Amino acid sequence: MDYKATAKAILPLIGGAENIISAAHCATRLRLVIADNSKVQKEKVEDVDGVKGVFEASGQLQIIIGTGAVNKVYDELVSIAGIEGGSKEDVKKAAASKAPWYKRAIKTLGDIFVPIIPAIVASGLLMGLLEGFSNLIPGLAENDIYTIFHLFSNAAFTFLPILIAVSAAKAFGGNMFLGAVIGMIMIHPDLLNAWNVATADTIPTAEAWFGLYDINLVGYQGHVIPVVIAVWFMSFLEKRLHKIVPEMIDLFVTPLVTVIVTGYLTLTIIGPVFSWLESGVLTAMQWLIALPFGIGGALCGGLYAPTVVAGIHHMYNALEAGLLSATNVNTWMPIATAANVAQGAAALAFAIKTKNRKNKSVAFPASLSAFLGITEPAIFGVNLRFVKPFIAGIIGGAAGGLVAGLLHVGASAYGITGVFGVLITTANLWQYLLVMAVAFAVAFLMTLVLYREKKPAAEGPGTPAGETAPIPVGALADSNAILSPLSGTVVALKDVPDATFAEGVLGDGIAIEPKEGKVVAPCKGTVSTLFDTHHAIGLTLENGAELLVHIGINTVELNGEGYSAFVEEGDQVSPGQTLITFDPDFLRSKGYQTVTPVIVTNSDEYSAITPKAQGEVQVMDPLLELGDRSE
């Protein structure tokens, strides 16, 4: 890969340097925050050599380049654009500042619950393994070693409010240790354990706000949202106090006031109100998932992937944590697995069916990633781009969710989906495997049925300009030949004064210095791309070649002046039909070179692209020869 050429090709397609707010990269992707997304030509960026996919997520434009190359393309992009690079955190902050309030709220939930996933996974895996072994070995639960490990398995869930409080304080910018204190207050041993309320003879109470009403002195085991709200208030109060309390007494006044005020409000207002609301939400979700005949599971399984596209799927972490804390069973995770596996199956079916090598190279690893629980590459890099695989994935997710709802499949943790989810579903392993199998089979078969490679239509319309170039007898008989779309002097592609074309970034081909200002269709095909400025046109020819005719160098800067187009995107064209006319002398008078590259942009599908003309060439003369088509 020519890293500089790739960066130069990408920059104008994302709106130029002035459209970049922030830029960084990870191991495989450029991560850009764009000022005006309408200026980004995503499909054209995808066609740049070296780009394996483009998608938007979390307010970022993410351009997949690949390990070992992305850092070099990034360095060239930053240098060419004349901007300062940033860290991934800088990009995340810039992206977050652009997001609507509800997306920022959902992202915050992700920032709180994602960091504690390792603790939940550790406890959940151990809980699942112990449950599996105890089913296989009668009497194991009486073993002392089992007793000790069982203690380990529920530790994270017993003290979950403290874990959430610490993570929330970090997310909200508060002191994590003060956050821990609030979490401890909410499950203090002096409060009646919430899990013992049903068997308690009496529930202790206390007067609140000078006798206005009584509160139950019950802990918040099994609750999630009240902890988040309490720590949000704590962080807000703490930061305000730091601003108004004199520095010399800030060290002891601010923590003291923060804990006293937040603690009292939490036990008397925040806790009672938001625990009631949370219980209502969890009850509603449990009701939805448990709808008769698996309808709820099907609805949730079908809607999961669209919420990933919308970037709001992080809210499910809070839902799963709440389900686990309240019931010890995560019924959402198998439904999420169904959706993820289905998108992976759709990408796999697409990879098998497509003849485009570049698309295959992206789809195969993307499908594997989805089977392991990471769906963004499959959704954004493949399925959403070609629409029908995405729809098939939604149908497969609904089918898998239906099975999960019918069989009441549950997990003992969250943070793991897909194949590795078997580790936290040992209590109903075969049901979980059936959920994945159904989701896979339905999505895979639906993709094979729905998806079709685009084929140019056989017939074209008349000639809009009333002109048809003369066609040599027998010239169209050779399906491997591409005829010349204009007259002039042949120029080797390597001699074109633009690195993007000269170095083959966009594909192999040839160039022509035009002697007259007319471009015609070299054979039957479809107009796949017509730039607004009319300086370039893309054709999908009947023989399968994708042809780009770029009239002049940097002529996009003329904004269409000097050009006239006689076709539109989607038009079917006939051999010799006039497509574009232009004024070569006008272009030269404005200081632009008129050499016109004629590029086969899907060159990688052929064994070779061989020039067949030298010197002078007339319209519809043989120009290029296509090698054997790669399968």
Side-chain angles (χ1 to χ4, degrees):
M1 186 193 305
D2 185 324
Y3 308 115
K4 186 172 184 178
T6 299
K8 286 180 69 175
I10 290 173
L11 186 60
L13 298 177
I14 60 175
E18 64 277 6
N19 202 33
I20 301 175
I21 295 175
S22 182
H25 72 87
C26 60
T28 59
R29 299 171 230 168
L30 296 176
R31 294 175 174 267
L32 311 174
V33 178
I34 302 298
D36 184 355
N37 288 334
S38 67
K39 295 181 180 179
V40 177
Q41 303 174 61
K42 288 174 63 176
E43 293 183 359
K44 294 182 177 65
V45 174
E46 289 169 349
D47 290 335
V48 173
D49 186 41
V51 175
K52 299 179 180 179
V54 181
F55 63 93
E56 293 181 44
S58 304
Q60 302 173 25
L61 178 69
Q62 300 191 13
I63 303 176
I64 304 170
I65 303 293
T67 305
V70 64
N71 55 318
K72 297 172 183 176
V73 173
Y74 169 78
D75 291 340
E76 294 291 352
L77 182 68
V78 169
S79 175
I80 294 168
I83 60 176
E84 290 187 8
S87 66
K88 285 186 287 184
E89 289 303 317
D90 294 333
V91 169
K92 286 181 181 180
K93 289 178 181 177
S97 66
K98 287 185 61 186
W101 69 267
Y102 64 91
K103 283 196 172 183
R104 293 200 300 270
I106 291 170
K107 178 185 179 299
T108 300
L109 284 178
D111 292 341
I112 293 171
F113 289 97
V114 169
I116 64 177
I117 284 178
I120 299 300
V121 167
S123 289
L125 285 176
L126 186 54
M127 187 179 294
L129 291 171
L130 289 176
E131 188 169 354
F133 283 129
S134 63
N135 290 335
L136 292 174
I137 307 172
L140 181 64
E142 307 300 325
N143 185 280
D144 289 342
I145 295 178
Y146 177 93
T147 301
I148 292 173
F149 279 104
H150 187 267
L151 181 151
F152 298 167
S153 71
N154 62 25
F157 300 111
T158 299
F159 299 102
L160 184 61
I162 298 175
L163 292 176
I164 294 172
V166 170
S167 187
K170 182 178 180 181
F172 294 130
N175 185 295
M176 291 189 293
F177 300 102
L178 290 181
V181 170
I182 299 303
M184 293 172 188
I185 289 172
M186 298 182 76
I187 58 170
H188 196 282
D190 285 351
L191 300 173
L192 177 64
N193 190 306
W195 291 320
N196 297 331
V197 169
T199 59
D201 294 330
T202 59
I203 298 176
T205 62
E207 291 183 349
W209 299 101
F210 309 104
L212 285 178
Y213 57 89
D214 291 341
I215 59 169
N216 292 329
L217 295 177
V218 176
Y220 288 88
Q221 293 85 356
H223 289 282
V224 171
I225 297 304
V227 185
V228 174
I229 300 300
V231 176
W232 170 81
F233 177 81
M234 182 215 79
S235 302
F236 170 79
L237 178 62
E238 180 197 7
K239 287 185 283 188
R240 293 288 296 176
L241 289 172
H242 279 311
K243 291 180 180 180
I244 62 176
V245 174
E247 186 175 346
M248 61 182 300
I249 58 173
D250 180 58
L251 179 61
F252 56 88
V253 169
T254 295
L256 177 63
V257 174
T258 299
V259 169
I260 290 175
V261 174
T262 304
Y264 192 75
L265 285 174
T266 296
L267 293 183
T268 58
I269 297 177
I270 295 174
V273 171
F274 285 97
S275 62
W276 176 78
L277 290 174
E278 181 190 53
S279 296
V281 171
L282 291 178
T283 300
M285 288 305 303
Q286 289 172 300
W287 172 84
L288 175 62
I289 294 171
L291 280 175
F293 312 112
I295 295 173
L299 286 173
C300 295
L303 291 173
Y304 186 89
T307 63
V308 173
V309 174
I312 59 175
H313 57 296
H314 292 300
M315 65 183 176
Y316 299 134
N317 290 323
L319 170 64
E320 291 179 274
L323 288 171
L324 278 170
S325 190
T327 66
N328 293 324
V329 179
N330 178 5
T331 50
W332 182 263
M333 174 270 188
I335 295 173
T337 284
N340 292 346
V341 168
Q343 290 297 326
L348 179 62
F350 170 85
I352 292 171
K353 195 166 185 180
T354 184
K355 292 181 171 59
N356 185 294
R357 287 191 299 171
K358 181 176 179 179
N359 290 338
K360 280 182 183 289
S361 69
V362 173
F364 273 119
S367 66
L368 175 61
S369 175
F371 297 143
L372 300 179
I374 307 298
T375 55
E376 282 82 356
I379 290 177
F380 295 105
V382 181
N383 298 348
L384 204 57
R385 286 173 56 195
F386 298 96
V387 182
K388 289 181 180 178
F390 183 67
I391 294 172
I394 289 176
I395 296 171
L402 176 68
V403 175
L406 284 171
L407 301 180
H408 308 291
V409 187
S412 58
Y414 76 90
I416 300 177
T417 59
V419 174
F420 290 130
V422 298
L423 299 173
I424 56 174
T425 53
T426 53
N428 35 39
L429 178 59
W430 293 110
Q431 295 93 324
Y432 182 73
L433 292 175
L434 181 61
V435 168
M436 289 196 292
V438 170
F440 178 95
V442 172
F444 188 88
L445 293 174
M446 288 299 297
T447 302
L448 293 180
V449 171
L450 294 175
Y451 179 72
R452 293 283 187 276
E453 291 276 314
K454 288 185 178 179
K455 295 181 180 179
E459 299 296 332
T463 305
E467 298 179 279
T468 301
I471 305 172
V473 176
L476 298 178
D478 184 2
S479 62
N480 290 326
I482 292 181
L483 307 183
S484 180
L486 66 169
S487 300
T489 304
V490 172
V491 177
L493 196 62
K494 65 181 179 62
D495 296 327
V496 173
D498 185 291
T500 301
F501 296 107
E503 297 172 11
V505 172
L506 298 177
D508 297 327
I510 203 167
I512 298 172
E513 183 63 50
K515 69 177 182 181
E516 61 177 348
K518 182 171 66 174
V519 176
V520 305
C523 73
K524 289 180 181 179
T526 303
V527 178
S528 55
T529 304
L530 179 64
F531 287 74
D532 293 339
T533 53
H534 299 160
H535 75 290
I537 188 169
L539 303 171
T540 300
L541 306 182
E542 188 179 48
N543 58 16
E546 297 172 5
L547 199 69
L548 171 68
V549 181
H550 193 285
I551 308 166
I553 303 301
N554 295 324
T555 45
V556 65
E557 297 170 358
L558 290 170
N559 293 317
E561 192 175 6
Y563 295 90
S564 296
F566 297 93
V567 291
E568 297 178 351
E569 284 190 6
D571 282 355
Q572 299 168 7
V573 295
S574 301
Q577 177 179 328
T578 301
L579 306 177
I580 295 174
T581 60
F582 59 99
D583 186 345
D585 292 332
F586 172 79
L587 267 59
R588 296 185 188 108
S589 72
K590 292 293 186 179
Y592 294 93
Q593 299 191 53
T594 55
V595 62
T596 300
V598 181
I599 305 295
V600 179
T601 57
N602 60 335
S603 300
D604 57 352
E605 296 183 13
Y606 298 91
S607 59
I609 307 293
T610 308
K612 300 298 290 183
Q614 294 180 344
E616 295 293 317
V617 66
Q618 300 299 317
V619 169
M620 305 303 287
D621 281 348
L623 186 67
L624 296 168
E625 182 176 3
L626 303 172
D628 293 333
R629 193 74 177 262
S630 302
E631 294 295 336

